[in-house]
Amino acid sequence: MVTLKNYMEEVVFNLIDSVLNDIDMCKCELCIKDIAALALNSLPPKYIVSEKGELYSKVNSLRSQFEVDVISAITKAAVLVKKTPRHK
C-alpha cells in the first residue's frame, strides 16, 4: 500500500517527550496535542510517498536534518500552551 505522510509530524511526535522533560508544565493529552499542532503549524510540511514498510526508515533518516528547527518550534509552542492551557 502506498502511503502519503507529512514526516514532520512523525519528527515532532518523536521529539516532543524529550523536549517537554525539561519544561515544568502539564503533559496531559490535550496540552501535548496543542503543542504538537502549534509546532507543526510553524514548521514547513515535508511530505513523502512511500510503500508502508519504507516510510519509517525514510522518516528516521530525514529526521536529523530538521531536529534543531523542530526542537525550537516545540519549545516555543510549549511556552504558549503553558501560559494559556485550554483546560482548567
Side-chain angles (χ1 to χ4, degrees):
M1 180 173 153
V2 177
T3 304
L4 173 66
K5 173 89 175 163
N6 176 4
Y7 73 80
M8 194 62 81
E9 191 174 326
E10 189 78 21
V11 174
V12 166
F13 279 105
N14 282 335
L15 291 173
I16 201 163
D17 288 337
S18 63
V19 173
L20 294 182
N21 282 339
D22 297 332
I23 299 173
D24 180 31
M25 63 174 296
C26 176
K27 294 173 180 78
C28 73
E29 183 179 1
L30 179 60
C31 286
I32 296 290
K33 290 196 174 171
D34 282 346
I35 292 166
L38 286 168
L40 285 164
N41 283 333
S42 71
L43 293 163
K46 301 293 181 192
Y47 287 98
I48 57 174
V49 176
S50 174
E51 294 292 326
K52 191 172 183 178
E54 296 173 31
L55 181 63
Y56 291 102
S57 63
K58 285 186 180 183
V59 167
N60 288 332
S61 68
L62 296 169
R63 182 177 74 187
S64 61
Q65 296 175 26
F66 302 100
E67 280 188 6
V68 173
D69 291 339
V70 171
I71 289 169
S72 175
I74 292 170
T75 303
K76 288 176 185 174
V79 169
L80 287 174
V81 171
K82 182 177 179 177
K83 284 181 185 177
T84 56
R86 292 193 306 139
H87 59 78
K88 296 181 183 192

